[in-house]
């Protein structure tokens, strides 16, 4: 028996190591692809900028050097965070991430203008107009991101209808706490959630982009979230990048139980939450007499689970964030944003 236990331990260790290796390999491939595409966007922006700024070789080299620094900005942020130079990381992060959104939108709007006017026909006035429109859209996006919007969805079920108000679940996802996150936005989020008087709070992954010590100031605020039946969460891919130990530590500090392919019973056994690790799917029994919530980061559905749960809550995609990624996300994950159904029993909700 001891030998069998040892074999199982070794097997689990190998599988865990393989999972980490696969995640890291996928991350390296993804980052390489992103850097390549991001560089192409800068090449497009460079070709347009020199139309309105016809400088010589020295000026063009300065522009190229500036763009190289902006491409490297996300890596510089992580470097400075590792050195605990948080002010520098925050400044570079704000500039780098705003520029990232600007250059992508400039490419989309500029390419549309190129197609309408004919390739190569977008000259001085056209480029300036594209720049102005892009800047206005980015400014609007920054202000829009400061607001918390609550989406109310009513699901009628006899399994939880023991009180007049029913059973209220508040669900949110993908905070991505880092050095650029504004504390007042987290305070507003917590106030908005508590104002809903939830019975249960659930979070669907990607809470943190940095180790716990660098986002400590948010812990005290998030710990003020209140729900009589507790606070549950599942890890996302960014928790995997940060490390399970760091994730477990931070979620425990803010009062959330982090589920690793676990089933938790709440509401006196009338409801169960199945928490599925990224990117796996938890095994669970069919219990039609219990309202079952599947909490998972990635919106990928296993056909074997069809008809096994009443409500599936997912995150990860951010709605694609910027067109045309919204279309790409729909093609990749095949789940519409917001509320939808799957089969006769399951209701689905994919957050932005």
């Amino acid at each position: 028996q001891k030998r069998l236990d040892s074999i199982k331990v070794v097997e689990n260790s190998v599988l865990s190591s393989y999972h980490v290796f696969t995640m890291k390999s996928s991350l390296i491939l993804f980052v390489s692809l992103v850097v390549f595409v991001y560089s192409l966007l800068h090449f497009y922006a460079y070709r347009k900028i020199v139309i309105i700024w016809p400088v010589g070789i020295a000026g063009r080299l300065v522009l190229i050097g500036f763009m190289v620094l902006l491409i490297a900005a996300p890596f510089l942020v992580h470097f400075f965070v590792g050195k605990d130079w948080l002010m520098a990381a925050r400044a570079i992060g704000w500039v780098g991430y705003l520029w990232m959104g600007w250059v992508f939108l400039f490419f989309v709007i500029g390419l549309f203008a190129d197609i309408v006017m004919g390739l190569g026909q977008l000259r001085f006035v056209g480029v300036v107009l594209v720049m102005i429109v892009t800047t206005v859209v980015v400014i609007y996006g920054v202000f829009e991101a400061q607001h918390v919007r609550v989406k109310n969805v009513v699901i009628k079920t006899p399994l939880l209808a023991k009180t007049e108000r029913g059973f209220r679940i508040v669900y949110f996802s993908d905070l991505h706490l880092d050095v650029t996150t504004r504390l007042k936005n987290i305070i507003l989020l917590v106030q908005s959630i508590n104002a809903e008087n939830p019975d249960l709070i659930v979070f669907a992954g990607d809470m943190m982009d940095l180790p716990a010590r660098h986002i400590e100031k948010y812990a005290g605020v998030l710990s003020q979230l209140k729900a009589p039946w507790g606070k549950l969460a599942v890890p996302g891919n960014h928790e995997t990048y940060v490390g399970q130990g760091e994730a477990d530590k931070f979620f425990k500090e803010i009062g959330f139980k982090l589920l690793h392919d676990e089933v938790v019973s709440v509401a006196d056994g009338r409801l169960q939450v199945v928490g599925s690790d990224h990117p796996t799917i938890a095994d669970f029994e069919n219990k039609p007499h219990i309202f079952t919530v599947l909490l998972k980061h990635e919106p990928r559905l296993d056909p074997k689970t069809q008809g096994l749960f009443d409500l599936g809550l997912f995150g990860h995609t951010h709605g694609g964030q910027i067109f045309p990624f919204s279309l790409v996300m729909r093609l990749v994950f095949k789940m519409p944003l917001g509320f939808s159904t799957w089969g006769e029993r399951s209701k689905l909700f994919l957050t932005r």
Side-chain angles (χ1 to χ4, degrees):
Q1 181 63 44
K2 289 183 179 179
R3 185 180 179 185
L4 287 174
D5 290 341
S6 298
I7 291 173
K8 288 179 181 178
V9 169
V10 172
E11 181 183 6
N12 290 337
S13 177
V14 170
L15 288 174
S16 178
S17 299
Y18 174 75
H19 173 66
V20 172
F21 173 77
T22 303
M23 289 292 296
K24 287 184 177 180
S25 300
S26 300
L27 177 61
I28 292 171
L29 181 62
F30 175 74
V31 170
S32 301
L33 179 62
V34 168
V35 171
F36 175 72
V37 173
Y38 195 34
S39 300
L40 291 180
L41 297 182
H42 280 78
F43 177 73
Y44 178 87
Y46 168 81
R47 293 296 300 270
K48 297 301 182 185
I49 289 173
V50 295
I51 292 175
I52 64 171
W53 191 35
V55 294
I57 297 297
R60 293 189 177 210
L61 288 175
V62 170
L63 178 59
I64 291 170
F66 177 70
M67 287 186 165
V68 169
L69 283 175
L70 289 170
I71 292 171
F75 302 100
L76 292 174
V77 169
H78 282 275
F79 173 78
F80 287 136
V81 166
K83 296 291 185 180
D84 286 333
W85 300 342
L86 299 187
M87 289 187 65
R90 187 174 297 111
I92 294 173
W94 269 104
V95 173
Y97 296 142
L98 283 174
W99 171 259
M100 184 181 292
W102 190 93
V103 78
F104 181 81
L105 285 170
F106 178 78
F107 170 76
V108 171
I109 298 170
L111 186 61
F112 176 78
D114 275 329
I115 293 171
V116 172
M117 299 179 64
L119 294 176
Q121 300 303 309
L122 195 61
R123 310 312 297 173
F124 187 93
V125 174
V127 172
V128 171
L129 286 175
V130 170
M131 285 183 166
I132 292 172
V133 171
T134 301
T135 303
V136 169
V137 173
V138 169
I139 292 173
Y140 169 78
V142 170
F143 282 98
E144 179 69 11
Q146 312 305 312
H147 297 88
V148 176
R149 285 184 170 80
V150 178
K151 175 73 173 179
N152 289 299
V153 177
V154 177
I155 299 175
K156 294 182 179 180
T157 172
L159 301 177
L160 293 172
K162 286 194 173 182
T163 62
E164 187 174 327
R165 73 187 292 266
F167 191 88
R168 188 168 296 183
I169 301 173
V170 168
Y171 151 65
F172 66 118
S173 181
D174 295 276
L175 282 188
H176 292 280
L177 299 174
D178 66 7
V179 291
T180 63
T181 305
R182 302 178 72 179
L183 183 61
K184 72 173 189 177
N185 290 347
I186 304 302
I187 293 173
L188 178 60
L189 173 69
V190 169
Q191 290 174 342
S192 300
I193 292 175
N194 284 338
E196 295 298 316
N197 295 314
D199 296 297
L200 175 69
I201 297 175
V202 295
F203 181 82
D206 279 3
M207 174 77 75
M208 52 201 299
D209 283 356
L210 297 175
R213 70 181 187 278
H214 296 306
I215 53 176
E216 195 68 34
K217 66 179 181 179
Y218 308 113
V221 178
L222 289 168
S223 65
Q224 295 173 20
L225 288 169
K226 304 297 181 184
W229 289 106
K231 300 177 287 187
L232 304 174
V234 290
N237 51 307
H238 282 253
E239 273 77 45
T240 303
Y241 303 151
V242 171
Q244 182 175 319
E246 288 288 333
D248 288 340
K249 175 184 176 183
F250 187 75
F251 278 94
K252 183 177 180 180
E253 186 174 355
I254 63 176
F256 277 75
K257 177 177 175 56
L258 192 59
L259 306 178
H260 298 284
D261 286 338
E262 298 175 56
V263 180
V264 175
S265 178
V266 297
D268 296 324
R270 292 180 289 131
L271 180 146
Q272 66 175 2
V273 177
V274 180
S276 182
D277 264 300
H278 170 88
T280 61
I281 185 75
D283 292 324
F284 56 101
E285 298 178 12
N286 184 16
K287 295 184 177 180
H289 60 288
I290 297 176
F291 191 88
T292 300
V293 177
L294 173 63
L295 184 62
K296 191 174 184 293
H297 183 60
E298 278 198 6
R300 298 185 189 275
L301 292 168
D302 187 336
K304 293 183 299 184
T305 64
Q306 188 168 21
L308 298 185
F309 62 91
D310 299 279
L311 176 62
L313 301 174
F314 309 88
H316 185 59
T317 69
H318 300 262
Q321 291 188 318
I322 301 175
F323 181 85
F325 288 128
S326 54
L327 298 179
V328 174
M329 290 298 101
R330 180 67 184 271
L331 291 172
V332 171
F333 292 105
K334 298 178 174 55
M335 185 184 295
L337 285 173
F339 188 71
S340 61
T341 59
W342 188 47
E344 295 183 3
R345 180 181 177 184
S346 301
K347 308 291 190 299
L348 311 175
F349 194 89
L350 173 59
T351 184
R352 289 182 179 274

